[in-house]
Amino acid sequence: MEPVLSVKNLSVQFPTRRGTLTAVDNISFDIAPGEVLGVVGESGAGKSMTGSAIIGLIEPPGRISSGEILLKGERIDNLSTDNLRRYRGKRIGMVFQDPLTSLNPLYTIAEQLVETIRTHMPLSQADARKRAIKLLDDVGIPAADRRIDDYPHQFSGGMRQRVVIALALCADPDLVIADEPTTALDVSVQAQIIDVMKNMCAEYGAAIMLITHDMGVIAETADRVAVMYAGRIAEIGPVRDVILDAKHPYTAGLMGSIPTLATNSDRLTQIPGSMPRLSAIPQGCAFNPRCPHVFDRCRVERPDPIASGTRRVACWLHAPEEQAA
Amino acid sequence: MTAFVIRRLLQSIIVMLAVSLVAFVVFRYVGDPIESMVGQDMRLADREAMRDRLGLNDPFYVQFATFVGNAVQGNFGISYRLQEPVTRLIMERLPATIELAVASALIALIFGVFFGVYTALKPKSPITATVMTLSLAGVSLPTFLIGIGLIYIFAVELGWLPSFGRGTTVMVGGWRTGLLTESGLRSLILPAITLSLFQLTLIMRLVRAEMLEVLRADYIRFARARGLTDRAINFGHALKNTLVPVITITGLQLGSVIAFAIVTETVFQWPGVGSLFIQSVQVVDVPVMAAYLMFIAFVFVVINLIVDILYYTVDPRLRVGTGKR
């Protein structure tokens, strides 16, 4: 089946006074229709930047320096500003981290929904409003037909995030990019929001790219997961495989640092050191200074993701020639 | 809403009482009213009789109450200089001042918002650089200098526009207007520009600063991600969010425009309330001065009240009590 989204060799660069910084470095991945792809990684690993690149919202002077982004086989990374705008919100919906600041405080929910719907669909004011009420009802806002005329400040954080999800889905997109959709919410609400998002996207037929640093959310929600480190994909594959049997030492380190109730250990394993700044990425594999299994080749040569069973891993440990040796 | 308006009205009344106390003190105790009214050859006994008749021997609070009572009915006594009721003098000249003030406030608001938005949206354009540099002159040059400069260029050297007065005026239902004749409109141009220039630059810089701030907000980014047009984002979402501070400043500035029209009116010999005040100061025409003080205070109080009510219509978050959280 043709993937909804296909990212090929994408790089995003920022020219600065001290040289060009590469925030996203030559990454490739696909998202199948209806699939949920989780993207995890530390802050600054390039997760959000990848999301911004796909929807064409990288703040200048940042720019896509190479690679292709295809939405259902159609290139969207080189469109004109106006054509770019037409697929945002219509073919790709976006959910941001903070629902408290994502909605314009001066307009009612109805105004914001109807405005978005009518930008992308040839509906009358009344029909757009009906669709808006249906959307709000679907995301689980009680008495949607009355609440629709309220202002954002009259809703709680979780309810506002539901509204944001309704806004992201209001023109039947093929893909929803959710950038840390639950990070700003109460823990008790997080699971609900993830549920709403997953069910809604299934109902409206949208694939999800779920950006988060919360492994728990990924484990529950995603079909596949991409682990990002210093602007590159370290490992990508089915969620179960990656979590139960991490192949990249970085992924293994991440999994080891999650507390579980089953193993009654006093100390969690941690990865020594911290992710390098974009201006000081080491030669070879970006993870080599922190890697417990580092060997000579890692310090010189940069590994590209290598197919290994159901997944791809960017690590020399899994290169066929190294394993043979 | 109603409770709020009533509360603000009460506050306004207290402010007006305080100002009228000052006006009364000026009116009653700057010089001796009897001295101002009668000749040198009046006998002391007659003076005392006159004092009694005019109530000048009454206790302070009785006199103040009488003053306020008269003021409420629009009675501020007789001008020493012109021997006419002060209220009539002010009313005769008020149209000139209001036309000038409203014209310059409109110029300031329209061009201020336009340039403010433009310079915020196109920070790198050469027009922005020029406008920003010129605006420095607008804030820092004193009004009389700008007025004299404009007179020199457009009236003396180029001879395009009249340098003083209101031109031909016509009466429309008790309102002497210069807006309906060509010479009246031509006469209005230079003083209106002079008076507006300071406010224009102030509004422009304020709108620019607010726009730059708002354009960075999450809801603007989310609006972009929803695929709204630039026009809808910049004017519908961004500009509206800058309006609360802009309304505040514009409102207060409209008061200042009326109050500080004094200088412009003097430079252009504009027959308004400001020039009446200057002439009265020169001959210590105390009733006119006191009435002018009251009048300006009244203008400020009314404008502030309108501004507060406008907040409500712009920002739904201020409508406390109408929403449930």
Side-chain angles (χ1 to χ4, degrees), chain B residues 73-243:
Chain B
Q73 294 162 43
N75 181 5
F76 288 94
I78 310 281
S79 159
Y80 297 160
R81 179 172 63 102
L82 298 166
Q83 299 299 324
E84 275 188 67
V86 171
T87 312
R88 198 203 302 160
L89 279 176
I90 288 185
M91 282 307 159
E92 271 171 11
R93 287 163 164 262
L94 201 54
T97 297
I98 286 180
E99 281 178 13
L100 176 62
V102 169
S104 60
L106 281 179
I107 292 175
L109 197 61
I110 292 167
F111 287 92
V113 169
F114 174 80
F115 282 122
V117 170
Y118 182 90
T119 53
L121 293 180
K122 299 214 178 344
K124 285 184 182 147
S125 114
I127 297 176
T128 298
T130 317
V131 169
M132 291 306 287
T133 315
L134 283 181
S135 76
L136 271 184
V139 203
S140 44
L141 283 182
T143 313
F144 69 88
L145 201 63
I146 292 171
I148 292 170
L150 288 179
I151 290 177
Y152 178 74
I153 297 171
F154 292 101
V156 179
E157 289 296 320
L158 296 171
W160 290 352
L161 297 165
S163 63
F164 69 91
R166 281 185 89 187
T168 319
T169 54
V170 287
M171 284 294 272
V172 179
W175 179 282
R176 183 169 289 283
T177 177
L179 298 178
L180 297 177
T181 64
E182 197 204 330
S183 88
L185 285 174
R186 279 157 53 87
S187 307
L188 184 62
I189 296 174
L190 286 186
I193 291 178
T194 308
L195 189 56
S196 72
L197 221 50
F198 180 78
Q199 332 293 340
L200 194 161
T201 48
L202 201 70
I203 291 174
M204 183 199 106
R205 288 178 161 263
L206 183 75
V207 170
R208 176 183 141 88
E210 290 292 328
M211 274 294 275
L212 287 175
E213 181 84 25
V214 169
L215 285 174
R216 277 198 301 267
D218 280 354
Y219 53 81
I220 295 299
R221 206 175 135 73
F222 187 53
R224 281 192 212 293
R226 283 192 276 148
L228 303 184
T229 57
D230 282 351
R231 199 188 150 83
I233 293 169
N234 292 336
F235 295 95
H237 288 264
L239 187 60
K240 196 175 178 192
N241 270 285
T242 66
L243 283 186

Side-chain angles (χ1 to χ4, degrees), chain B residues 55 68 82 243 252 280 291:
Chain B
V68 171
L82 298 166
L243 283 186
L252 291 179
S280 308

Side-chain angles (χ1 to χ4, degrees), chain A residues 208-229:
Chain A
I208 306 179
M209 176 172 162
L210 178 63
I211 300 168
T212 179
H213 56 248
D214 187 340
M215 254 330 212
V217 169
I218 296 276
E220 273 173 46
T221 319
D223 302 312
R224 285 193 308 140
V225 60
V227 181
M228 286 191 74
Y229 185 80

Side-chain angles (χ1 to χ4, degrees), chain A residues 85 101 104 107 115-116 120 154, chain B residues 218-219 226-227 236-237 241 323:
Chain A
R85 181 185 70 66
T101 55
N104 190 329
Y107 291 100
E115 180 186 29
T116 317
H120 299 297
Q154 291 165 296
Chain B
D218 280 354
Y219 53 81
R226 283 192 276 148
H237 288 264
N241 270 285

Side-chain angles (χ1 to χ4, degrees), chain A residues 116-173:
Chain A
T116 317
I117 292 169
R118 296 196 68 194
T119 304
H120 299 297
M121 298 177 137
L123 289 181
S124 69
Q125 182 79 23
D127 288 345
R129 190 180 159 89
K130 268 183 216 143
R131 183 175 170 82
I133 292 173
K134 161 99 168 57
L135 278 158
L136 289 183
D137 207 33
D138 287 351
V139 293
I141 288 182
D145 53 333
R146 263 188 305 116
R147 295 305 308 270
I148 192 170
D149 289 312
D150 282 351
Y151 288 91
H153 71 272
Q154 291 165 296
F155 289 86
S156 69
M159 284 295 159
R160 277 192 238 187
Q161 195 65 310
R162 287 169 196 259
V163 173
V164 170
I165 291 170
L167 273 164
L169 284 168
C170 70
D172 264 338

Side-chain angles (χ1 to χ4, degrees), chain A residues 249-259 265-272:
Chain A
Y250 176 64
T251 320
L254 272 188
M255 298 306 156
S257 60
I258 299 168
S265 58
D266 289 339
R267 293 184 74 89
L268 295 169
T269 51
Q270 55 171 349
I271 310 175

